[in-house]
Amino acid sequence: MASLPAAALTTAGLLGGFATARATKNRPLGGAVLAAAGAGAFAFWKKDAGVPAAIGLTVLYLGAFGGSHPLAKKIGAWPAVWTVTGATAAASLLLPKKRA
């Protein structure tokens, strides 16, 4: 099992970024929350599983953000954000640790 802090950061980034953008009506500010949390999660993933896995999970994280937009048209904004957040956090938790 990989990093609980990374899963928490991705959750904070996706949910917090969306909530920030929505509450402030400032999308770049929401993007800054998303980016900061993603950078923190990358550091944990790199430590836990190595650079290739960290890059892959970062791609997943950013893909989840992008994928939430078309999904929102089908199921609504918050349900879409919750769905992609859960998938990203689960992937972070299921990532095996690198061998010493």
Side-chain angles (χ1 to χ4, degrees), residues 8-86:
L9 280 169
T10 62
T11 299
L14 290 164
L15 293 177
F18 178 68
T20 299
R22 188 168 235 193
T24 64
K25 299 193 184 339
N26 185 338
R27 292 178 73 160
L29 184 58
V33 171
L34 181 84
F42 181 87
F44 280 109
W45 289 325
K46 181 179 168 188
K47 179 178 81 71
D48 287 346
V51 173
I55 291 170
L57 283 165
T58 300
V59 168
L60 174 68
Y61 176 69
L62 295 174
F65 166 70
S68 69
H69 292 81
L71 184 59
K73 293 180 182 191
K74 297 190 183 306
I75 66 173
W78 274 112
V81 173
W82 280 106
T83 300
V84 301
T85 298

